[in-house]
Amino acid sequence: QVQLVESGGGLVQAGGSLRLSCVVSGRTLSSLFMGWFRQAPGKERELVAHISWSGISTYYTDSVKGRFTISRDNAKNTVYLQMNTLKPEDTAVYYCATKTGTTWGSWGQGTQVTVSS
């Protein structure tokens, strides 16, 4: 069974940066399609970015394009989300997840990101 552990969240001022990490265990990362989601208070969970098995193909939701970068290091079984030029509206709990077929399955426990204005 796949287990995901996120880290790297915290409190940062607007315009600052954070790098989130998601360590995967139980499966070889290279076999997994990975994504980052976020959920702000009172809002639904939304897909922020995803990355293909090889890392060649990526997707970003419009609100983070040009500011966030998803990457993966299969040798370290770790997926990253580099977040630059953070805005208060980026405040949320961030989760990593794996996708099997069309379904996002395994989830981490989440890491809190708070951006102050």
Side-chain angles (χ1 to χ4, degrees):
Q1 186 167 349
V2 178
Q3 293 185 324
L4 311 174
V5 179
E6 303 97 334
S7 64
L11 173 64
V12 64
Q13 288 188 332
S17 297
L18 285 173
R19 187 176 80 157
L20 306 184
S21 299
C22 172
V23 177
V24 179
S25 61
R27 287 277 299 276
T28 302
L29 180 62
S30 59
S31 68
L32 299 172
F33 190 98
M34 299 296 299
W36 283 96
F37 287 74
R38 66 186 179 187
Q39 187 166 20
K43 295 188 177 181
E44 293 187 354
R45 189 173 297 188
E46 67 166 339
L47 175 64
V48 175
H50 63 59
I51 187 166
S52 63
W53 298 271
S54 65
I56 294 176
S57 176
T58 58
Y59 160 86
Y60 300 93
T61 193
D62 286 345
S63 62
V64 308
K65 284 181 181 176
R67 300 188 298 122
F68 290 13
T69 302
I70 188 171
S71 62
R72 61 194 297 155
D73 186 336
N74 289 342
K76 295 183 178 180
N77 260 27
T78 303
V79 179
Y80 303 98
L81 185 68
Q82 178 67 43
M83 306 186 296
N84 298 327
T85 319
L86 282 161
K87 304 176 180 180
E89 52 264 43
D90 294 318
T91 295
V93 178
Y94 283 72
Y95 301 88
C96 63
T98 65
K99 186 177 182 181
T100 303
T102 59
T103 303
W104 290 97
S106 301
W107 296 84
Q109 82 291 348
T111 185
Q112 175 71 48
V113 171
T114 303
V115 184
S116 64
S117 58

